[in-house]
């Protein structure tokens, strides 16, 4: 038996050297593609955040989301993920309130602390204090969205007479917070409207919700499966798509060899100890998971049996021509989505 489940795509706006185009043309094409996925019946469009990436990985998700909001009318929009501790709480709360109004109340922000020490160094911040900074950030943002005038003196932020005007008509904007360690899951349960991460963490998440006096029946989980594609001819799809996902794999693998990774599932792949490899090894590894529509429906039903997952996000791989991406999206929309409506 199928349950209700939403589906969307992540757009990282990367522009790798081997497929490089003028940024203006690439960004315009991605916005067109997002609008087309909305017409197909997808539910979400999500933008991640990283810094210092030579392949152009998006560093300003809120700006990109504003452009997406202007091109769509129904899709849920948000970050997947934004690096919460890199933001100043009042500026973040204000920008999100404006974006929520511009999008007609469609915003949902995915936030986590990140795992790249060099991103913190570039921003002049202490990587080892990012968890504590994130807790303080979330505390202040929640108070601001409650409409309070906030006076706050903390370890990381000091605000006097801070308030968000105009507020979103919803006040609080949904936050989906990531993490894997018990302390991180306490943060999710305390400050989050939902959890961003891995369905296997559900027992710990449920426990932390109960400790916070919250009803686990109201829990929401958002999962990324960035290396998943649905196709009828699995070998043909592997041959066509592997070079593009191979770039994604190796880019993340290089980062993970350089920086600390918090837990498993950092990029929506079961084994976060991902590493660079040659194309043939990548194709044989199974990291790129290609399923038939029938296999995908069975996979998502198992996921729903495991945890209260409400949304599943795939990705538009960098470099893949938009018309080819759209062909795979059409198959998913026509043969998988209807099973979960």
């Amino acid at each position: 038996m199928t349950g209700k489940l939403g589906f969307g795509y992540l757009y990282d706006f990367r522009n790798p050297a081997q497929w490089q185009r003028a940024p203006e043309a690439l960004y315009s094409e991605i916005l067109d593609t997002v609008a087309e996925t909305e017409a197909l019946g997808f539910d979400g469009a999500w933008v991640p955040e990283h810094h210092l990436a030579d392949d152009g990985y998006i560093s300003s998700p809120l700006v990109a989301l504003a452009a997406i909001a202007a091109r769509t009318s129904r899709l849920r929009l948000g970050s997947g993920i934004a690096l919460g501790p890199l933001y100043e709480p009042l500026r973040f709360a204000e920008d999100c309130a404006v974006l929520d109004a511009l999008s007609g109340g469609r915003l949902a922000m995915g936030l986590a602390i990140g795992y790249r020490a060099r991103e913190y160094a570039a921003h002049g911040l202490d990587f080892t204090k990012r968890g504590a900074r994130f807790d303080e950030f979330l505390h202040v943002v929640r108070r601001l969205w409650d409409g309070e005038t906030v006076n706050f003196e903390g370890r990381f932020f000091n605000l006097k007479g801070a308030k968000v005007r105009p507020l979103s008509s919803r006040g609080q904007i949904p936050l989906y917070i990531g993490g894997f360690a018990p302390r991180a899951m306490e943060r999710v349960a305390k400050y989050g409207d939902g959890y961003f991460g891995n369905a296997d963490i559900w027992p710990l998440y449920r426990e932390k919700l109960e400790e916070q006096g919250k009803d686990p029946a109201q829990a929401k989980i958002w999962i990324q499966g960035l290396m998943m594609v649905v196709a009828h001819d699995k070998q043909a799809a592997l041959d066509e798509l592997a070079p593009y996902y191979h770039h994604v794999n190796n880019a993340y693998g290089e980062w993970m060899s350089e920086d600390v990774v918090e837990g498993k599932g950092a990029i929506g792949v079961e084994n976060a100890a991902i590493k660079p490899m040659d194309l043939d090894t990548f194709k044989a590894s199974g990291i790129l998971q290609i399923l038939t529509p029938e296999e995908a429906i069975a996979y998502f039903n198992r996921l729903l049996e495991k945890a209260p997952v409400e949304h599943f996000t795939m990705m538009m791989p960098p470099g893949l021509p938009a018309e080819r991406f759209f062909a795979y999206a059409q198959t998913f929309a026509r043969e998988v989505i209807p099973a979960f409506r």
Side-chain angles (χ1 to χ4, degrees):
M1 179 180 294
T2 57
K4 190 172 182 180
L5 180 62
F7 297 96
Y9 284 105
L10 178 134
Y11 304 89
D12 60 21
F13 289 80
R14 285 195 243 202
N15 198 5
Q18 59 269 46
W19 304 294
Q20 194 163 62
R21 303 168 56 193
E24 297 85 355
L26 174 65
Y27 283 24
S28 176
E29 181 179 84
I30 291 172
L31 293 176
D32 288 343
T33 301
V34 173
E36 289 171 346
T37 64
E38 180 177 65
L40 281 177
F42 284 89
D43 306 288
W46 313 101
V47 180
E49 176 183 1
H50 275 296
H51 301 267
L52 317 176
D54 291 335
D55 66 0
Y57 199 117
I58 193 75
S59 59
S60 187
L62 288 170
V63 174
L65 288 166
I68 292 172
R71 294 292 305 276
T72 58
S73 61
R74 181 186 54 79
L75 289 175
R76 294 178 71 196
L77 310 173
S79 54
I81 57 165
L83 304 176
L86 299 186
Y87 290 82
E88 185 277 321
L90 177 60
R91 179 80 271 173
F92 175 86
E94 291 175 326
D95 287 348
C96 288
V98 170
L99 182 51
D100 198 48
L102 287 171
S103 66
R106 293 184 282 138
L107 186 63
M109 295 297 290
L111 299 173
I113 63 174
Y115 57 88
R116 299 196 71 206
R118 63 196 58 209
E119 291 178 315
Y120 280 81
H123 284 84
L125 298 174
D126 186 343
F127 179 74
T128 66
K129 301 292 192 300
R130 68 199 194 282
R133 182 181 173 93
F134 194 27
D135 288 337
E136 203 168 283
F137 167 88
L138 290 166
H139 170 78
V140 173
V141 166
R142 284 303 196 190
R143 289 179 60 187
L144 289 166
W145 283 343
D146 272 339
E148 287 187 44
T149 297
V150 176
N151 295 297
F152 180 83
E153 293 186 9
R155 291 175 59 192
F156 305 98
F157 303 107
N158 290 281
L159 297 86
K160 294 182 180 180
K163 60 183 178 181
V164 174
R165 298 294 185 274
L167 277 170
S168 161
S169 61
R170 296 192 292 170
Q172 294 289 340
I173 293 165
L175 295 179
Y176 287 70
I177 300 173
F180 300 94
R183 177 68 189 90
M185 295 310 299
E186 290 174 10
R187 179 184 302 123
V188 177
K190 183 175 181 178
Y191 294 111
D193 297 287
Y195 170 65
F196 173 94
N198 190 315
D200 292 336
I201 208 78
W202 168 232
L204 178 60
Y205 180 29
R206 181 175 54 212
E207 174 187 323
K208 298 303 180 183
L209 285 169
E210 290 170 347
E211 289 176 2
Q212 290 290 327
K214 297 182 178 180
D215 182 3
Q218 304 301 312
K220 299 175 181 179
I221 298 177
W222 169 16
I223 302 293
Q224 283 190 347
L226 300 188
M227 296 281 188
M228 178 182 287
V229 177
V230 169
H232 290 285
D233 188 331
K234 295 166 70 170
Q235 186 60 51
L238 178 64
D239 291 339
E240 177 180 24
L241 297 174
Y244 306 101
Y245 286 97
H246 177 242
H247 173 82
V248 174
N249 176 86
N250 283 9
Y252 280 122
E254 289 173 4
W255 289 353
M256 292 179 184
S257 69
E258 298 166 350
D259 292 294
V260 175
V261 178
E262 183 194 89
K264 295 199 302 180
I267 62 169
V269 177
E270 288 302 320
N271 181 9
I274 194 168
K275 59 186 179 181
M277 60 188 73
D278 63 46
L279 179 59
D280 288 339
T281 302
F282 175 73
K283 289 175 71 173
S285 70
I287 292 172
L288 176 54
Q289 189 175 15
I290 300 176
L291 305 177
T292 66
E294 296 76 17
E295 289 170 339
I297 290 170
Y299 173 90
F300 292 124
N301 277 324
R302 291 193 298 271
L303 193 62
L304 290 171
E305 290 172 358
K306 180 183 292 186
V309 179
E310 66 155 359
H311 194 88
F312 189 91
T313 303
M314 298 163 287
M315 79 175 303
M316 181 181 183
L320 181 68
E323 65 272 13
R324 295 306 304 145
F325 167 74
F326 195 59
Y328 289 98
Q330 283 180 315
T331 298
F332 195 102
R334 292 171 179 171
E335 301 188 44
V336 178
I337 288 178
F340 298 93
R341 290 291 184 265

